[in-house]
Amino acid sequence: MKEHMTELFPLCRSITGEGVRETLRAIATRVPLELREVASGTQVLDWTVPDEWNIRDAYIARDGERVVDFASSNLHVVSYSEPVRQELSLEELRSHLHTLPEHPDWIPYRTSYYDRDWGFCLTQRELESMTDGAYDVVVDSTLEPGSLTYGECVLAGEVSDEVLLSTHVCHPSLANDNLSGIAVLTELGAALASRPRRLTIRLLFIPGTIGSIAWLARNEAVTERVVAGLVVACVGDAAPLTYKRSRRGIAQVDRAAGHVLGQRDGGRVVDFVPWGWDERQFNSPGFDLPVGSLSRSREGEFEEYHSSADDLDLVSEGQLEDALAALLEIVDVLERDERYVNLAPRGEPQLGRRGLYPSVGGGAQAEEQLALLWLLNQSDGRSSVLDVAERSGLPFGVLAAAAERLVGAGLLAEAPPP
Amino acid sequence: MKEHMTELFPLCRSITGEGVRETLRAIATRVPLELREVASGTQVLDWTVPDEWNIRDAYIARDGERVVDFASSNLHVVSYSEPVRQELSLEELRSHLHTLPEHPDWIPYRTSYYDRDWGFCLTQRELESMTDGAYDVVVDSTLEPGSLTYGECVLAGEVSDEVLLSTHVCHPSLANDNLSGIAVLTELGAALASRPRRLTIRLLFIPGTIGSIAWLARNEAVTERVVAGLVVACVGDAAPLTYKRSRRGIAQVDRAAGHVLGQRDGGRVVDFVPWGWDERQFNSPGFDLPVGSLSRSREGEFEEYHSSADDLDLVSEGQLEDALAALLEIVDVLERDERYVNLAPRGEPQLGRRGLYPSVGGGAQAEEQLALLWLLNQSDGRSSVLDVAERSGLPFGVLAAAAERLVGAGLLAEAPPP
Amino acid sequence: MKEHMTELFPLCRSITGEGVRETLRAIATRVPLELREVASGTQVLDWTVPDEWNIRDAYIARDGERVVDFASSNLHVVSYSEPVRQELSLEELRSHLHTLPEHPDWIPYRTSYYDRDWGFCLTQRELESMTDGAYDVVVDSTLEPGSLTYGECVLAGEVSDEVLLSTHVCHPSLANDNLSGIAVLTELGAALASRPRRLTIRLLFIPGTIGSIAWLARNEAVTERVVAGLVVACVGDAAPLTYKRSRRGIAQVDRAAGHVLGQRDGGRVVDFVPWGWDERQFNSPGFDLPVGSLSRSREGEFEEYHSSADDLDLVSEGQLEDALAALLEIVDVLERDERYVNLAPRGEPQLGRRGLYPSVGGGAQAEEQLALLWLLNQSDGRSSVLDVAERSGLPFGVLAAAAERLVGAGLLAEAPPP
């Protein structure tokens, strides 16, 4: 996954533009992604799709030498900067320059999507080395009607109930936020595409906010089928995994993710707040979709947030793999949770003569036997395997496997729908 | 408020008598208070209004010199002492003398409302200095049918729903218990009288227990309209504010007071117990009024409780002001709590073009923006501003102001009644 | 009770056999116990009653001298060992020998109820002292159709609602597990037999698992009447009392036991798990009886568990008495819990003129007065005395006594059934 991130790192993404399209085409080589276009000016819920922004080059030069150069980092240009070709003094230039004084070697990441403006970002050190004089300022961009692009991949399952998995693709050269989300969601999609599915999986690679709003505006009928969802971002840094609950708080996805993170050291579960990433739109009260958010550090929680220090050294393959594993576990819980009825509910059944003594040895044996007993005790048609996982503290996977053995032994049967 | 307390401090109040009337008339110069009389012998619920007690003078003298003198502190006489004019030896006198051996310089506060008796209170040191001999003992009091007096002030609001605010006026020269309550409730009444009101406010200045019982007996119809209430006492000492919940525990006043105290350092919320002050009567099961209790130290929790050490030095203007501020905040929550409906619930609305970027700068800006987003996310017609305050941790006042801005922007509307 | 335990200690109990019958006959001299027999081969729920096992003698001898002798401890023989009379080398013998290497002086307790086998248990030290050579191995047992025996004692009460009290009798010379349970339950039965009862009490002295299963199979109609129950075991060791909740978790017995243990230092309440003793069968979902479990250390929680170190020195009379006292308190709560209605609910009634000032002095006085006030405040026909105990933190016994005084004073009346 870090390889994928490295490939995508230099592309200049924004909420629209070729950088996004190139990124989505790269993802589409790994998962069956379809690109969707929404024309600038389209009304989407309370918003309007903005003009499309593209940039070829930008620099500040002095005596023919570039002192700030888009080619060396796409963070140098404020996203959505309108075209500029001027000669300006340092004084006139200053108000268009952005730095991080408290981090003199970092370039900030700035955007100006909804105010027509232009600017450059650079390190505080670079700024301080600029002397008075005439600067050639060039932003070779276009900002004109075009379209917004997002990627969508639907992996059909046995049922039309959907799990919505979404990540944002609108940031340029920032690794954790959010090439990590792009890499992990791509890998997750590839893994889910290659295995049987009960639930339908829908992956979205979207520009933040305007992307989810555009998707919601065009997919009302789909939202009725969303039974669970996760917005994935910032999953590569050193912090432990964090799950932020949906607005509902106790939806199945909240319980599934809570269980999976609870089985790990250091996993953190936080309550819903209407701040963060695209979960804000999915959880708006008119949709109230059961969509949580999985990340490591959350927005603003890491020092390097929205700066050039959010580079490929900040994320590790191990953390990406671990996030992917957690996501696969959460989807597994959603896929396999089931209510059962104990067919021999009066007293415990005799496990020995049914060959139900644990099939594994050692410490796992005690856990497996307890799993059998918990399922037998709790399966009155109302409690599901996830309910039992919460009550017993046993891992869902162990319980689901034990349930299968009990079904095979004729002791458990799937409960009828309520 | 300390000035008000200083003025009232020397008056000899009891559960009946001129001391109470003088106190109420002083309060009436600050708030439109009406004095009510209830004749001795009147049946009020399970009680009977007692005879009226008045006292002009009392002393214990030796050789013509007063060794214990009512004129130096009204705590010297046990409240409701019947008239006495006797010569007694120290031995015969002892059983009528009350001290605090563990606090040799403090005079205890003692009452004998329901047993006809008489007594003097003095410091342990004073008692030890009394030698054997003949003492002239005089209590120049009257204890005969008259009436109980209490004060009531109704500040009409737009609606007939009432907030009941009550404090006890039956203690003589004790500052925290309860001249602090009297002073703060008077000031609260003056403040509420001078501003517009949605809810009707009813202030009660009553003798403890028999006063609330008499009021309840005579005001059944009013109790039906009480939507919230607070018994206020002991609000001047150094301890942080304490809110004691109503019997119901989760009434709106419990949530409002819990929120206000939760926003302050050191605020303490405790569960209902049928002990304390007049909240016991309001919360009796036949009425079960949603009435909590606000204080600093609770009954018996401070060393100086019911003794001459509960003097004006024990209370500070700052603590009184802070208690007043908390009460005004709680009333404000009750006044302004409201349910709203988001008129643009599908996705977040675009705040910028509606001029809804925060109107203040700095740190408060982030809080204000979060307030807008929380209200938009939660306003589905079921959640009120107080619900949002509890869920978000944001101050009610910030949320109420944000709600007004959203209503003005056409994004929120008051929800229809349930 | 320790005397009773000492008398029973040497008997070789198992899940069937004369050892059980002798034990039950000894118990029957103290409580009116009836012995029930269930024939081997009888189908009981999902199980079959096994053959009956009896043992007269067993030893391993070398040169005519017994090196392992059933007569010195009945733990030396694996329970349910089939008859053996062989000469074996140490090598051939080893797989039938069981020790505890980590406790070289302790004999383990082992069983082989459902696999036909035989074995001896001995100390690690004894095993290491056995040299190569020929050993005479004799197990003089019978394992053939007979019957399982359990003891049942029904103490009729005013109502047919039952409290089910159960303990297991299938262990040989192990003191805490479970002669302690046998002794305490016997004493509890004797105490309850000699006092008036509202509820019917049913005591069961049963072989573990197969005993409760057999009883459930034969007593379905009775189970409908069980309103509360406790499985009692391991109540003599040094650990504080532990109450394990029923599957329902919030049944009346859970609340009663939780309250009683909460009033004691160190009492521990744990949630239901389908592991442990016979509570597993009573709480199986087809019956879901409100049966908790009272013990000190739970199964496997003490070092000496299932070994010769679980001897009479491990249990103390004081701990047994304390367990008995807790059980009597729990039964008392079940017996006496009641809902009341306050007949003077409007305001507090005047306690003094009804002679309801506390009848005891000192610190208990404050508790008694608070009990009166809590009952008056809470008795609206919905809350019971146990509800008030939970809300107030006051001991149930104090509240029940206060309720009686209030009934006598005409202030409280029993509430009609809901």
Side-chain angles (χ1 to χ4, degrees), chain B residues 43 45-48 114 209 213 216-217 220 246-249 272-275 280-281 283-288, chain C residues 342 344-351 353-354 357 369-370 373-380 382-383 391-392 411:
Chain B
Q43 187 73 26
L45 303 180
D46 193 62
W47 297 59
T48 308
Y114 300 106
T209 306
I213 284 173
L216 285 165
E220 278 229 56
S246 70
R247 180 180 183 271
R248 300 182 191 185
F272 176 76
V273 290
W275 195 248
R280 291 164 60 170
Q281 310 311 321
N283 281 278
S284 57
F287 292 104
D288 194 33
Chain C
N342 181 345
R346 291 158 72 246
E348 287 176 1
Q350 236 226 355
L351 297 182
R353 74 162 203 269
R354 291 181 168 78
Y357 274 133
Q369 182 160 22
L370 218 41
L373 293 172
W374 266 111
L375 284 159
L376 289 167
N377 182 274
Q378 294 287 295
S379 295
D380 52 10
R382 288 189 300 276
S383 291
R391 189 167 185 183
S392 67
L411 284 172

Side-chain angles (χ1 to χ4, degrees), chain B residues 26-197:
Chain B
I27 295 167
T29 65
R30 292 169 166 85
V31 284
L33 196 70
E34 293 185 27
L35 275 62
R36 312 252 183 255
E37 303 286 341
V38 188
S40 302
T42 307
Q43 187 73 26
V44 285
L45 303 180
D46 193 62
W47 297 59
T48 308
V49 176
D51 283 346
E52 181 176 333
W53 182 72
N54 284 287
I55 182 162
R56 269 164 301 280
D57 193 14
Y59 59 84
I60 301 173
R62 171 89 183 256
D63 302 328
E65 202 176 298
R66 297 188 176 202
V67 294
V68 180
D69 190 353
F70 174 76
S72 68
S73 168
N74 54 32
L75 292 177
H76 277 309
V77 177
V78 172
S79 194
Y80 262 65
S81 286
E82 53 181 350
V84 174
R85 186 172 294 274
Q86 291 184 35
E87 194 186 271
L88 296 169
S89 70
L90 182 55
E91 272 329 292
E92 296 169 311
L93 195 45
R94 270 193 198 285
S95 65
H96 294 274
L97 301 179
H98 306 271
T99 64
L100 292 168
E102 65 279 18
H103 294 292
D105 291 310
W106 297 359
I107 307 166
Y109 161 60
R110 295 281 177 268
T111 67
S112 184
Y113 299 138
Y114 300 106
D115 291 326
R116 282 199 80 107
D117 200 355
W118 63 272
F120 284 82
C121 302
L122 65 166
T123 74
Q124 179 68 19
R125 219 180 282 284
E126 286 166 341
L127 178 60
E128 283 165 7
S129 72
M130 287 173 75
T131 58
D132 289 328
Y135 287 89
D136 293 308
V137 179
V138 172
V139 175
D140 181 13
S141 67
T142 54
L143 184 50
E144 54 197 29
S147 59
L148 168 153
T149 321
Y150 66 86
E152 188 170 29
C153 165
V154 180
L155 305 170
E158 294 170 26
V159 302
S160 59
D161 287 349
E162 291 198 13
V163 180
L164 185 66
L165 301 162
S166 174
T167 201
H168 60 274
V169 295
C170 49
H171 288 175
S173 296
L174 298 176
N176 200 32
D177 187 9
N178 183 35
L179 289 168
S180 71
I182 293 171
V184 168
L185 207 68
T186 303
E187 202 65 27
L188 177 63
L192 296 174
S194 66
R195 60 182 72 175
R197 291 174 299 280

Side-chain angles (χ1 to χ4, degrees), chain A residues 264-409:
Chain A
R264 291 151 165 272
D265 285 332
R268 175 177 65 148
V269 178
V270 298
D271 284 323
F272 175 76
V273 290
W275 195 250
W277 300 297
D278 286 295
E279 68 274 13
R280 291 164 59 170
Q281 310 311 323
F282 298 126
N283 281 277
S284 57
F287 293 104
D288 195 33
L289 301 185
V291 174
S293 174
L294 190 81
S295 67
R296 291 185 179 280
S297 298
R298 288 209 58 87
E299 69 282 354
E301 277 190 351
F302 55 107
E303 201 76 56
E304 306 84 349
Y305 180 76
H306 281 196
S307 82
S308 57
D310 183 3
D311 59 28
L312 291 163
D313 290 335
L314 191 64
V315 314
S316 77
E317 188 70 32
Q319 294 291 80
L320 299 171
E321 296 280 356
D322 176 64
L324 175 65
L327 284 161
L328 283 164
E329 275 188 69
I330 294 170
V331 171
D332 184 57
V333 174
L334 298 171
E335 279 271 295
R336 293 208 286 163
D337 195 26
E338 187 78 57
R339 285 171 307 106
Y340 291 101
V341 175
N342 181 344
L343 302 176
R346 289 156 74 245
E348 287 174 2
Q350 237 226 353
L351 297 181
R353 73 162 205 270
R354 292 180 166 79
L356 278 171
Y357 274 134
S359 56
V360 294
Q365 187 186 53
E367 195 175 68
E368 216 195 297
Q369 183 160 21
L370 219 42
L372 294 168
L373 293 173
W374 266 110
L375 284 159
L376 289 166
N377 182 274
Q378 292 288 294
S379 295
D380 52 11
R382 289 189 300 276
S383 292
S384 75
V385 178
L386 181 55
D387 289 314
V388 181
E390 288 175 340
R391 189 167 184 182
S392 68
L394 296 174
F396 178 89
V398 171
L399 286 161
E404 279 170 32
R405 295 183 64 212
L406 289 169
V407 168

Side-chain angles (χ1 to χ4, degrees), chain A residues 90-128:
Chain A
L90 183 55
E91 271 331 292
E92 296 171 308
L93 194 44
R94 269 193 198 285
S95 64
H96 294 274
L97 300 180
H98 305 271
T99 63
L100 291 169
E102 66 277 20
H103 295 292
D105 291 309
W106 298 358
I107 307 166
Y109 161 61
R110 296 282 176 268
T111 69
S112 184
Y113 300 138
Y114 299 104
D115 290 326
R116 282 200 78 110
D117 200 355
W118 63 272
F120 283 82
C121 302
L122 65 164
T123 74
Q124 178 68 20
R125 220 181 281 283
E126 284 167 340
L127 177 62
E128 283 165 9

Side-chain angles (χ1 to χ4, degrees), chain B residues 205-225:
Chain B
F205 295 83
I206 50 178
T209 306
I210 191 66
S212 46
I213 284 173
W215 183 84
L216 285 165
R218 291 159 52 115
N219 285 277
E220 278 229 56
V222 171
T223 64
E224 307 272 316
R225 306 198 296 262

